[in-house]
Amino acid sequence: MLKKLLVGLTFAAGTAGFALAAHAAGYPERPIQAVIPWGAGGATDNVMRSLSPYAEKELGGKLILSNRPGGTAVIGTTYVLGQQPNGYTLLLGAENPQLYPVLGPFNYPYLRAVHMSL
């Protein structure tokens, strides 16, 4: 139950590579980079940092947390989408930036590009 909750609330893995790597024997072989696309000390940062020990326990590895704020989470999200889809770079964050294009009132072209990549 905890594993499903953690995955559902915290990890927006933009590629299927994470799922494949997570099932590979020996994963994780090295620390996992976990990107928080919001500023340090904010609500999302605090929640992700408090949940990360539980995620580390479930994954059996270490998460290296780093903040990449800016552009309503677009900078951090774009960074993660540009990484190799091997399960060693995760996006930890709130769902709202990814939902902006779906909701309609927010019609920002740069968010459409991120949304289409997911």
Side-chain angles (χ1 to χ4, degrees), residues 47-112:
V47 169
M48 295 308 141
R49 289 182 187 278
S50 64
L51 290 176
S52 65
Y54 300 104
E56 289 175 339
K57 183 178 177 184
E58 289 293 322
L59 291 170
K62 179 78 175 147
L63 295 179
I64 306 298
L65 302 174
S66 64
N67 296 83
R68 290 185 178 258
T72 318
V74 172
I75 292 174
T77 303
T78 303
Y79 172 78
V80 172
L81 289 172
Q83 300 304 302
Q84 187 175 12
N86 59 9
Y88 286 97
T89 306
L90 302 178
L91 179 65
L92 309 181
E95 74 288 345
N96 53 337
Q98 288 74 30
L99 290 177
Y100 289 165
V102 177
L103 295 174
F106 302 100
N107 191 14
Y108 303 121
Y110 63 90
L111 287 173
R112 258 196 314 260

